[in-house]
């Protein structure tokens, strides 16, 4: 009997050890799969950031980047090039959209000051980048693409600080890498990939500083941690003014939790903020002295768009699925994405300690509130502009990374349910890949403003087919300069201010075109030269002028 009991106990121990080993093997296998699939998404996402960099239309806002970095303002170009004299497309690009000896760094800062709503760091980087590596659309966009690569290590670092899990960090990097939204802005000659980096960097730096302060490390280590945080704050403010809302979220997090509301945390946190404000003071003075310009330059944001709430849903779907779809309640992908996003936040709050979920909730909530409330109470379109919601989207993506990692790694979850979550992760990954693939072969996508950019490419193709064309226009520089990048270098343009009718040159051109002309220019050409005008492309973007024999 005793031997039987001993044998039974031994068998039970062996069985338990076997079960533990099996669970550990399953856990290792699941972790390996998650990290490998995330690494695959990371590699593919990096590749997409450099695919067809020079192919997409260099649109209105990107032209602003080039012009400001070169030391000009768009209004400065009117007296210089809207003279009725012939100018080549090459000269429009090389003289006015890339740094030259004609315009110094001082001139660039003068142009920056006229647009105080845009922090200057990215434009300064772009200027030096173009001076070193030359001027082409692909070259300047490469700067943004390279900056976007810095987002991956800081995403990993932030997830590690929040969850103490390398696997969540890998999944977070994979989701960020293959997100079609982030890929689009990694290919734009604009500051949004830099802003994404500073949001993640400052968030991780804050959590590390709080963690280091909590330990018994040397005072020097604590000062270094808070110094890095102060640097990240300053970098963020000089990258995008909306960083203020990110740092407000940080402040709510620190003051909102009892464990951080202590002398040893509050004093260094306030010191870091004060230091960053002092370092940002030069631009802060420029903002206040040029505040009327800021108000005037952002006036379009106060115009209400129809379907505001539908835009919120559309922008959310673009994080994982983007086929250039419009907003609609009938969009079948909208509802599952909203459900998964909502569930990921709910799961985060229920399954993580308050110091983890409260950080992500404040990161999402402060920026979202700052955009949504003004639109609801006073009207406007701030909350419908997808790029402004980057802090909220990053919080959602981190929540999703935690949800997927936890569900797929949960050894106590039924295998059928684990498989479902695996398929969801696979679906998110391959949806992102397909979205990036489709958008990479189209010259214009939603983020380039269809009303400003949609016909630039086909119009340029028509003009370039002509043997020796002349393009006449009285349209604003923001419409002309994007076209100049897609025209053959030796195509001539004749630009005039509105109400002026150009004196046609004696030089023999095979074709005369009007590009986005005003009614005054159309009627003037018809009356003065007895010409027949033929609409060549949609909505009057391009006209062919037939002069009498």
């Amino acid at each position: 009997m005793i031997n039987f009991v001993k044998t039974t106990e031994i068998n039970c121990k062996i069985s338990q050890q076997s079960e533990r080993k099996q669970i550990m093997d399953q856990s290792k296998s699941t972790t390996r799969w998650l990290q490998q699939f995330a690494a695959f998404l990371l590699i593919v996402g990096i590749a997409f950031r450099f695919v067809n960099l020079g192919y997409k239309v260099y649109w209105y806002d990107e032209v602003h980047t080039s012009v400001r970095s070169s030391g000009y303002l768009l209004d400065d170009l009117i007296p210089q090039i809207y003279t009725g004299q012939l100018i080549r497309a090459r000269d429009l690009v090389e003289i006015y959209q890339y740094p030259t000896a004609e315009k110094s760094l001082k001139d660039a800062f003068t142009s920056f000051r006229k647009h105080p709503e845009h922090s200057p760091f990215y434009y300064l980087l772009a200027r030096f980048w173009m001076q070193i590596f030359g001027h082409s659309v692909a070259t300047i966009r490469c700067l943004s693409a390279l900056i976007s690569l810095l987002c991956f290590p800081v995403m990993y670092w932030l997830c590690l600080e929040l969850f103490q899990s390398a696997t969540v960090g890998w999944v977070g990097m994979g989701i960020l890498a293959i997100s079609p939204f982030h890929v689009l802005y990694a290919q734009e000659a604009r500051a949004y990939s830099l802003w994404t980096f500073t949001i993640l960097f400052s968030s991780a730096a804050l959590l590390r500083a709080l963690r280091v302060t909590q330990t018994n490390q040397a005072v020097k280590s604590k000062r270094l941690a808070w110094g890095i945080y102060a640097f990240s704050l300053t970098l963020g403010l000089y990258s995008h003014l909306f960083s203020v809302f990110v740092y407000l979220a940080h402040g709510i997090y620190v003051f909102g939790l009892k464990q951080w509301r202590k002398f040893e945390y509050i004093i260094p946190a306030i010191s870091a903020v004060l230091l960053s404000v002092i370092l940002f003071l030069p631009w802060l003075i420029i903002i206040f002295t040029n505040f009327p310009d800021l108000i005037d330059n952002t006036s379009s944001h106060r115009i209400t768009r129809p379907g505001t709430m539908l835009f919120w849903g559309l922008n959310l779907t673009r994080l994982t699925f983007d086929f250039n779809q419009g907003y609609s309640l009938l969009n079948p992908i909208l509802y599952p994405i909203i459900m998964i996003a909502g569930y990921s936040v709910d799961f985060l709050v229920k399954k993580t300690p308050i110091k983890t979920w409260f950080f992500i909730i404040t990161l999402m909530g402060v920026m979202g509130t700052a955009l949504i409330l003004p639109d609801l109470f006073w009207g406007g379109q701030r909350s419908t502009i997808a790029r402004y919601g980057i802090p909220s989207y990053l919080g959602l993506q981190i929540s999703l990374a935690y949800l997927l990692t936890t569900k797929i790694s949960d050894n106590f979850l039924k295998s059928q349910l684990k498989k479902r979550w695996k398929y969801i992760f696979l679906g998110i990954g391959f949806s992102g890949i397909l979205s990036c693939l489709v958008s990479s072969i189209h010259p214009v996508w939603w983020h380039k403003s269809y009303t400003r950019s949609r016909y630039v490419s086909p119009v340029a193709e028509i003009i370039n087919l002509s043997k020796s064309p002349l393009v006449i226009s009285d349209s604003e520089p923001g419409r002309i300069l994007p076209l100049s990048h897609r025209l053959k270098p030796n195509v001539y343009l004749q630009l005039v201010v509105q109400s002026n009718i150009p004196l046609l040159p004696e030089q023999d051109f095979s074709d005369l075109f009007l590009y986005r002309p005003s009614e005054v220019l159309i009627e003037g050409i018809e009356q003065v030269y007895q010409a027949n005008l033929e609409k060549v492309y949609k909505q009057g973007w391009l006209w062919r002028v037939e002069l009498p024999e």
Side-chain angles (χ1 to χ4, degrees):
M1 184 68 179
I2 294 172
N3 289 336
F4 175 75
V5 172
K6 285 183 178 179
T7 304
T8 303
E9 288 177 353
I10 291 169
N11 288 337
C12 285
K13 286 180 182 178
I14 292 170
S15 176
Q16 288 173 356
Q17 289 173 355
S18 177
E19 285 178 10
R20 284 197 207 100
K21 187 176 183 303
Q22 189 175 359
I23 290 171
M24 287 177 65
D25 289 343
Q26 285 178 355
S27 180
K28 287 179 181 177
S29 175
T30 302
T31 300
R32 195 181 307 115
W33 181 86
L34 279 166
Q35 292 183 353
Q36 287 174 349
F37 185 58
F40 166 72
L41 295 180
L42 182 62
I43 292 167
V44 175
I46 289 172
F48 272 125
R49 279 160 170 76
F50 295 93
V51 170
N52 283 341
L53 263 181
Y55 175 64
K56 289 187 174 74
V57 167
Y58 198 71
W59 75 292
Y60 184 89
D61 281 14
E62 291 181 296
V63 160
H64 272 285
T65 297
S66 291
V67 171
R68 285 179 208 148
S69 299
S70 303
Y72 291 96
L73 293 168
L74 287 183
D75 290 343
D76 296 340
L77 304 187
I78 293 175
Q80 297 191 39
I81 63 176
Y82 281 68
T83 60
Q85 300 297 312
L86 300 187
I87 185 169
R88 293 181 302 175
R90 175 192 295 166
D91 296 330
L92 273 181
V93 172
E94 293 185 355
I95 297 174
Y96 300 104
Q97 297 182 69
Y98 294 102
T100 63
E102 297 295 319
K103 290 288 185 176
S104 66
L105 188 59
K106 183 180 177 181
D107 295 314
F109 273 109
T110 300
S111 69
F112 297 164
R113 285 198 296 270
K114 289 294 183 180
H115 284 272
E117 74 278 10
H118 292 287
S119 294
F121 184 51
Y122 176 79
Y123 299 97
L124 197 60
L125 276 180
R127 180 180 177 85
F128 290 131
W129 181 266
M130 289 187 286
Q131 286 177 330
I132 295 169
F133 296 104
H135 52 272
S136 73
V137 171
T139 299
I140 188 171
R141 284 177 177 163
C142 190
L143 172 63
S144 296
L146 289 172
I147 290 172
S148 75
L149 303 186
L150 298 175
C151 297
F152 302 131
V154 288
M155 168 62 92
Y156 180 86
W157 179 22
L158 179 55
C159 290
L160 210 57
E161 293 289 346
L162 285 167
F163 306 107
Q164 294 77 51
S165 169
T167 307
V168 177
W170 274 100
V171 174
M173 286 194 297
I175 290 172
L176 181 68
I178 209 59
S179 168
F181 172 85
H182 291 291
V183 171
L184 288 176
Y185 280 103
Q187 291 194 320
E188 284 278 284
R190 305 181 72 198
Y192 293 101
S193 61
L194 177 62
W195 188 36
T196 302
F197 165 71
T198 61
I199 293 165
L200 294 168
F201 177 36
S202 60
S203 297
L206 172 64
L207 292 178
R208 182 181 181 275
L210 291 170
R211 177 173 55 81
V212 168
T213 305
Q214 201 172 29
T215 64
N216 293 321
Q217 293 191 33
V219 173
K220 190 175 180 181
S221 298
K222 296 176 182 179
R223 285 178 179 171
L224 177 61
W226 286 106
I228 292 171
Y229 179 57
F231 169 74
S232 71
L233 292 180
T234 309
L235 186 63
L237 290 171
Y238 275 109
S239 300
H240 201 290
L241 291 187
F242 278 1
S243 296
V244 168
F245 297 112
V246 177
Y247 306 147
L248 178 60
H250 290 178
I252 292 171
Y253 174 71
V254 172
F255 281 92
L257 292 185
K258 281 185 179 180
Q259 64 190 107
W260 306 129
R261 207 186 306 143
K262 296 176 183 176
F263 182 82
E264 62 265 34
Y265 303 112
I266 295 297
I267 295 301
I270 291 175
S271 301
V273 171
L274 287 176
L275 177 59
S276 68
V277 170
I278 291 168
L279 293 173
F280 189 62
L281 199 56
W283 194 253
L284 205 56
I285 293 170
I286 288 170
I287 290 172
F288 284 119
T289 54
N290 295 273
F291 198 71
D293 288 326
L294 187 150
I295 297 297
D296 186 52
N297 296 338
T298 58
S299 60
S300 62
H301 297 162
R302 295 186 287 279
I303 300 171
T304 303
R305 266 179 175 175
T308 296
M309 295 185 71
L310 289 174
F311 266 105
W312 300 346
L314 175 61
N315 292 337
L316 183 61
T317 64
R318 285 167 171 166
L319 293 177
T320 53
F321 180 87
D322 182 8
F323 275 36
N324 217 20
Q325 69 273 15
Y327 64 85
S328 171
L329 285 172
L330 301 178
N331 181 0
I333 201 70
L334 175 63
Y335 301 101
I337 288 179
I338 289 176
M339 287 173 63
I340 292 172
Y343 180 63
S344 70
V345 174
D346 180 67
F347 186 81
L348 178 82
V349 172
K350 288 178 178 176
K351 298 295 181 180
T352 61
I354 188 171
K355 70 173 186 176
T356 298
W357 66 257
F358 189 56
F359 183 87
I360 298 173
I361 293 297
T362 52
L363 181 65
M364 292 189 294
V366 171
M367 189 73 250
T369 303
L371 295 173
I372 290 170
L373 285 187
D375 284 358
L376 292 180
F377 285 105
W378 300 290
Q381 55 180 278
R382 306 162 195 84
S383 62
T384 68
I385 301 172
R387 58 188 181 271
Y388 292 166
I390 289 176
S392 300
Y393 300 150
L394 290 172
L396 274 175
Q397 289 172 315
I398 291 168
S399 300
L400 182 59
Y402 175 73
L403 171 68
L404 292 172
T405 304
T406 306
K407 289 292 186 181
I408 295 170
S409 302
D410 189 351
N411 293 314
F412 298 100
L413 198 66
K414 291 180 181 179
S415 65
Q416 193 174 1
L417 288 175
K418 287 179 69 173
K419 276 185 180 179
R420 284 181 189 173
W421 286 105
K422 251 188 185 180
Y423 291 143
I424 288 172
F425 190 17
L426 287 166
I428 289 169
F430 288 110
S431 168
I433 291 172
L434 200 56
S435 299
C436 293
L437 187 63
V438 172
S439 69
S440 70
I441 59 175
H442 286 81
V444 177
W445 213 243
W446 60 266
H447 67 304
K448 291 185 179 292
S449 176
Y450 251 40
T451 55
R452 286 174 168 170
S453 309
R454 56 183 164 180
Y455 301 137
V456 170
S457 185
V459 163
E461 288 176 12
I462 293 170
I463 296 170
N464 288 335
L465 286 173
S466 178
K467 185 179 177 182
S468 57
L470 173 65
V471 180
I472 303 167
S473 183
D474 60 355
S475 195
E476 61 172 301
R479 292 179 174 181
I480 298 296
L481 297 183
L483 179 70
S484 68
H485 285 273
R486 300 191 83 85
L487 293 176
K488 290 188 292 189
N490 290 323
V491 170
Y492 279 94
L493 296 97
Q494 188 177 29
L495 305 176
V496 292
V497 294
Q498 283 195 11
S499 78
N500 284 1
I501 307 304
L503 178 64
L504 294 181
E506 295 180 2
Q507 186 176 338
D508 190 25
F509 290 98
S510 61
D511 292 281
L512 298 181
F513 294 104
L514 298 184
Y515 177 68
R516 304 187 74 171
S518 66
E519 289 295 329
V520 173
L521 182 59
I522 292 172
E523 292 173 4
I525 292 289
E526 286 177 329
Q527 292 172 8
V528 172
Y529 296 103
Q530 301 301 304
N532 292 321
L533 268 61
E534 175 195 357
K535 190 182 291 185
V536 180
Y537 209 76
K538 301 174 184 178
Q539 296 185 10
W541 274 53
L542 190 67
W543 300 70
R544 180 178 275 107
V545 180
E546 296 289 345
L547 296 174
E549 294 294 332

